[in-house]
């Protein structure tokens, strides 16, 4: 095959070039003008884009700040986590917008107030924990000093296995076996008794889990076993004296335990605020911290509460940012009754603002004064407890004692007056007489307004049912029953259902004697056409419960109580809900 070549085009002549030159020059000028116009348009578009991105960034930051301020007011357990996520989202949006504009994000993004408070609280907690750690070190507890020293740089080492064992041993007056072997050798084990190994329950514990206690005849055994070197013997005797001092009820034992419990409170709270996304608030605020508060505030089973200790407790509770969490801690103190329960009510009533003051005062009086045949406490003892709360609360408590229904009227009034006299309060008799002169209708309205307020604050259904039962027992007539039903109809349907389910049952598990008559009235009114609106709301709530969970305890209990109080009404109710009638 032969390759065919392409002939080059002939060169233009000078005449042709001169002829086309003018047109070519015009075209080049036009292109230059277009290029200049495009460059100007690009600059204008870039300026508009940068302005839009800057406006978007600032408006988004403002929106996040508004959202965080709104979220911070909600009664949520994980507000900090939600706000942190919003701030992180805002940071990501700012970085993306800056990348689109080939720029950099602003150095200081606006920070929500709740996060500023959180950071300041963490700094305050850390500083208070370091001060308490130094205080504990000066008291010379039997905890290894290097463990306490490590808390300065890393407070989370408080939760390490070695530190946890050391803490438990300090509380119980024991020593970890690994520490004895490390510091004194195997030959010192003869002076201790094994507190962990049990032939049945724990026959083969891990060596690092075994704890030891000094034998009761340690001093005699110590003199009979001179195998230890003089240095080790001196250190072992020092450890023995440290353990004995920490177990004693005289200083420095109580001071050591108080400092340790305050340190535990501060580090537990600091750990929660550092790890809110993984730590459950119920565990810390309903279990751990209430136990520490009770241990700090109750010096002994029969010892009175101390004003100085209460002030320390209030300073610790002030570190808790959320009011709901603070109340959760206080409300879970004293679950076993006794002085711990007294501490709970005293802490509640020492606060500047108590949302359910009347109910708290009533429950406080019920705790202080036992039911007959037990005798009421001495006037001096009652006055000693009431001196720990504010004067205006003292007067409310004295008036509640004068109206206490577990005592005879004359005895209750005399006890309240004597306590008021001991506290130096005046005007109790005049206020009591003024309260007695209230018209019955006004007194009824005030009583049920308080119950309506409890329902509006989402108080526990069992508590509201108890208050309603007490009111019906105190004033049992048709007007009171009607008013109780009207109060329930004004609540949301789920509150009505829950209170209805709790109403017949007292705290001891028995059925209230007037429950049957009251419940029959409620069922009759519920199915009457006069209350059709309330009936439809209740039916809708029951239907939603049935579709979500047919065996819901609330649904089952409500239907069972309706059947118990009105057998003819349960068929209509079940048909409207769409569920089978219980056998």
């Amino acid at each position: 095959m032969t390759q065919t070549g392409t002939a080059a085009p002939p060169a233009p002549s000078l005449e042709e070039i001169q002829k086309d030159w003018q047109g070519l020059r015009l075209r080049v000028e036009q292109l230059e003008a277009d290029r200049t116009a495009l460059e100007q348009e690009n600059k204008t578009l870039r300026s508009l884009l940068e302005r839009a991105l800057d406006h978007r960034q600032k408006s988004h930051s403002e929106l996040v700040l508004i959202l965080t301020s709104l979220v911070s007011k909600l009664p949520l357990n994980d507000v900090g986590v939600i706000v942190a996520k919003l701030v992180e989202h805002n940071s990501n949006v700012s970085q993306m917008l800056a990348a689109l504009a080939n720029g950099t994000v602003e150095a200081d993004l606006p920070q929500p107030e709740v996060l500023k408070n959180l950071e300041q609280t963490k700094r305050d907690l850390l500083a208070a924990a370091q001060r308490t750690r130094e205080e504990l070190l000066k008291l010379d507890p039997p905890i290894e000093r290097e463990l306490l020293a490590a808390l300065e740089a890393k407070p989370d080492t408080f939760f390490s296995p070695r530190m946890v064992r050391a803490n438990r041993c300090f509380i119980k007056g024991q020593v970890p076996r690994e520490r004895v072997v490390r510091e004194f050798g195997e030959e010192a084990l003869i002076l201790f008794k094994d507190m962990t190994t049990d032939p049945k329950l724990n026959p083969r514990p891990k060596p690092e889990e075994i704890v030891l206690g000094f034998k009761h005849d340690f001093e005699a055994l110590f003199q009979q076993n001179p195998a230890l070197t003089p240095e080790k013997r001196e250190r072992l005797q020092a450890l023995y004296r440290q353990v004995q001092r920490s177990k004693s009820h005289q200083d420095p034992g109580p001071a050591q335990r108080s400092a340790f419990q305050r340190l535990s409170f501060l580090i537990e709270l600091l750990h929660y605020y550092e790890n809110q996304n993984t730590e459950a608030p119920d565990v810390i605020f309903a279990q751990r911290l209430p136990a520490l508060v009770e241990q700090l505030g109750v010096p002994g089973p029969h010892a009175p509460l101390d004003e100085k200790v209460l002030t320390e407790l209030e300073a610790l509770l002030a570190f808790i940012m959320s009011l709901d969490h603070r109340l959760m801690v206080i409300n879970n103190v004293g679950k076993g009754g006794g002085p711990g329960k007294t501490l709970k009510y005293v802490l509640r009533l020492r606060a500047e603002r108590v949302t359910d003051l009347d109910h708290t005062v009533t429950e406080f009086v019920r705790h202080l004064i036992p039911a007959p045949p037990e005798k009421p406490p001495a006037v001096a003892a009652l006055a000693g407890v009431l001196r720990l709360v504010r004067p205006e609360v003292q007067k409310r408590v004295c008036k509640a004692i004068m109206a206490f229904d577990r005592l005879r009227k004359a005895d209750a009034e005399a006890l309240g007056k004597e306590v008021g006299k001991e506290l130096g309060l005046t005007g109790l008799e005049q206020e009591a007489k003024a309260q007695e002169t209230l018209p019955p209708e006004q007194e009824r309205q005030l009583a049920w307004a308080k119950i309506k307020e409890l329902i509006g604050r989402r108080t526990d259904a069992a508590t509201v049912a108890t208050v309603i039962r007490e009111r019906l027992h105190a004033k049992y007539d048709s007007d009171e029953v009607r008013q109780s039903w009207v109060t329930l109809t004004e609540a949301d349907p789920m509150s009505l259902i829950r209170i209805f389910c709790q109403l017949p049952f007292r705290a001891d598990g028995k059925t209230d004697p007037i429950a049957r008559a009251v419940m029959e009235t409620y069922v009759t009114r519920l199915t009457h056409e006069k209350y059709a609106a309330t009936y439809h709301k209740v039916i809708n709530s029951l239907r939603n419960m049935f579709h979500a969970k047919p065996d819901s305890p609330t649904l089952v209990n409500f239907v069972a109580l309706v059947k118990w109080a009105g057998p003819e009404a349960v068929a209509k109710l079940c048909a409207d809900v769409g569920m089978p009638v219980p056998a």
Side-chain angles (χ1 to χ4, degrees), residues 235-252:
R235 287 193 288 110
L236 184 57
Q237 280 186 317
L239 177 62
Y240 175 74
R241 288 192 294 269
Q242 285 178 327
V243 172
Q244 297 307 311
R245 285 198 303 268
S246 69
K247 292 167 60 177
S248 68
H249 296 288
Q250 299 177 351
D251 283 336

Side-chain angles (χ1 to χ4, degrees), residues 355-360 362-363 442-475 479-492 495-496 499-500 503 518 522:
T355 54
D356 51 349
L357 181 58
D358 292 333
H359 178 68
T360 304
T362 302
E363 293 299 316
Q442 186 177 354
E443 189 270 339
R444 179 186 299 117
Q445 291 177 359
L446 290 175
W448 287 104
K450 294 178 182 178
I451 296 175
K452 189 185 300 184
E453 183 182 357
L454 286 177
I455 299 174
R457 288 200 306 267
R458 302 287 182 180
T459 308
D460 180 56
T463 303
V464 178
T466 301
V467 177
I468 292 177
R469 281 199 307 272
E470 291 174 354
R471 175 65 188 178
L472 292 178
H473 275 283
K475 304 280 186 179
D479 291 336
E480 289 294 333
V481 175
R482 180 183 59 81
Q483 186 62 49
S484 68
W485 170 250
V486 171
T487 302
L488 289 179
T489 59
E490 293 175 353
D492 62 277
S495 296
L496 187 153
I499 296 171
F500 186 92
L503 200 57
V518 174
Y522 286 174

